[in-house]
Amino acid sequence: MALRPVQVNIKALDAPAVGRFWAEALGWSAYSPGVTTYVGPAGGAVWPDPVFVCVDVVPVPEAKTTTKNRLHLDLATTSAAHQEELVARLKALGATPAHVGQGDVPWTVLADPEGNEFCVLQPREVDRDTGPIAAVVVDCEDPRAMARFWGEAMDWTLHEVTDDHAALRSAKGVGPHLEFLRTPGAKTVPDRVHLDLLPYPGDDKAAEVARLRALGATDLDIGQVDVPWTCLADPEGHEFCVLALS
């Protein structure tokens, strides 16, 4: 039994506009199957995508606070020229420089049109086959503990773990990394961005949720009422959802 991350959920005042931004940023397409705007590879909406962790933009009535998100995306580049071109193109699309205490680093920190932070990375060999999203990055207090929980929750392989950083990736060696970075300070506000997980065909969603609770996940009440997904929080309080196969 295991789960797979299928999408990054981003809350937005204007979901179609933010969805279009991310589609342009990733070189993908924005699809509007209903209330949300789904961003995935071009050629028609495929859910769940067999390779990539995609993006689902959900409309909400509240704007983002000034607090930095504790989950963000790192975008991959293939060369210094590509990194420079991508940063310029994203700024033209409405991204703005973001200052999160990064200092002098080889990556560029930006925010999307509603203030959600993300990074455009320098070329890295480890990202050469990830696709446009190099990594989904989670700020946390204890990367080792987070790697244990998420490694048990999902069928991804642990590639690195230290006191300051942990990284997992699909056992198939495709798609982005899931990284945990030691960051001072505990979580204080609800997450604007979170992961959505999905059971594999034939697996029982209720059994998976029970397994997550046994691993240390807690139930989360965000006013969801009667919905087919289950809202949980990991041991450090990061929200995530377990979806149901339609």
Side-chain angles (χ1 to χ4, degrees):
M1 293 174 65
L3 294 158
R4 49 187 163 152
V6 292
Q7 60 195 28
V8 173
N9 183 300
I10 300 177
K11 297 179 177 67
L13 288 171
D14 188 340
V18 172
R20 289 192 296 271
F21 170 85
W22 282 103
E24 291 284 348
L26 300 172
W28 288 352
S29 295
Y31 307 95
S32 297
V35 173
T36 71
T37 299
Y38 178 73
V39 179
V46 175
W47 190 92
D49 190 273
V51 174
F52 299 109
V53 175
C54 296
V55 173
D56 195 41
V57 186
V58 178
V60 295
E62 306 87 9
K64 180 183 180 294
T65 69
T66 56
T67 302
K68 177 183 177 292
N69 288 335
R70 289 184 71 82
L71 187 150
H72 71 266
L73 299 181
D74 281 351
L75 306 191
T77 62
T78 57
S79 66
H82 180 210
Q83 183 184 17
E84 182 177 356
E85 180 275 329
L86 181 56
V87 168
R89 185 164 61 84
L90 291 169
K91 288 179 178 176
L93 290 169
T96 54
H99 303 283
V100 295
Q102 66 265 31
D104 185 16
V105 293
W107 56 87
T108 301
V109 184
L110 299 172
D112 75 10
E114 291 200 6
N116 299 297
E117 302 88 359
F118 66 97
C119 298
V120 180
L121 299 182
Q122 73 281 13
R124 304 189 308 181
E125 178 62 22
V126 71
D127 301 328
R128 63 182 174 81
D129 57 357
T130 61
I133 300 176
V136 178
V137 183
V138 182
D139 294 345
C140 65
E141 293 185 289
D142 188 342
R144 290 185 184 276
M146 287 293 94
R148 284 194 297 272
F149 173 83
W150 285 93
E152 291 285 345
M154 307 189 311
D155 63 342
W156 284 21
T157 300
L158 181 65
H159 284 270
E160 176 187 348
V161 60
T162 69
D163 289 343
D164 295 317
H165 177 258
L168 299 91
R169 196 182 185 199
S170 167
K172 298 177 182 178
V174 296
H177 304 270
L178 176 61
E179 300 186 6
F180 299 94
L181 295 181
R182 180 182 290 278
T183 306
K187 180 177 176 293
T188 57
V189 300
D191 289 327
R192 192 80 175 173
V193 183
H194 70 256
L195 275 172
D196 285 340
L197 309 182
L198 185 71
Y200 283 92
D203 286 350
D204 183 77
K205 174 177 171 287
E208 285 292 340
V209 169
R211 187 175 66 84
L212 292 171
R213 291 178 181 132
L215 292 171
T218 53
D219 290 290
L220 187 67
D221 182 0
I222 56 173
Q224 63 266 33
V225 194
D226 184 21
V227 294
W229 57 86
T230 301
C231 300
L232 299 170
D234 74 14
E236 287 199 12
H238 301 99
E239 295 95 336
F240 67 98
C241 293
V242 180
L243 307 180
L245 279 167
S246 55

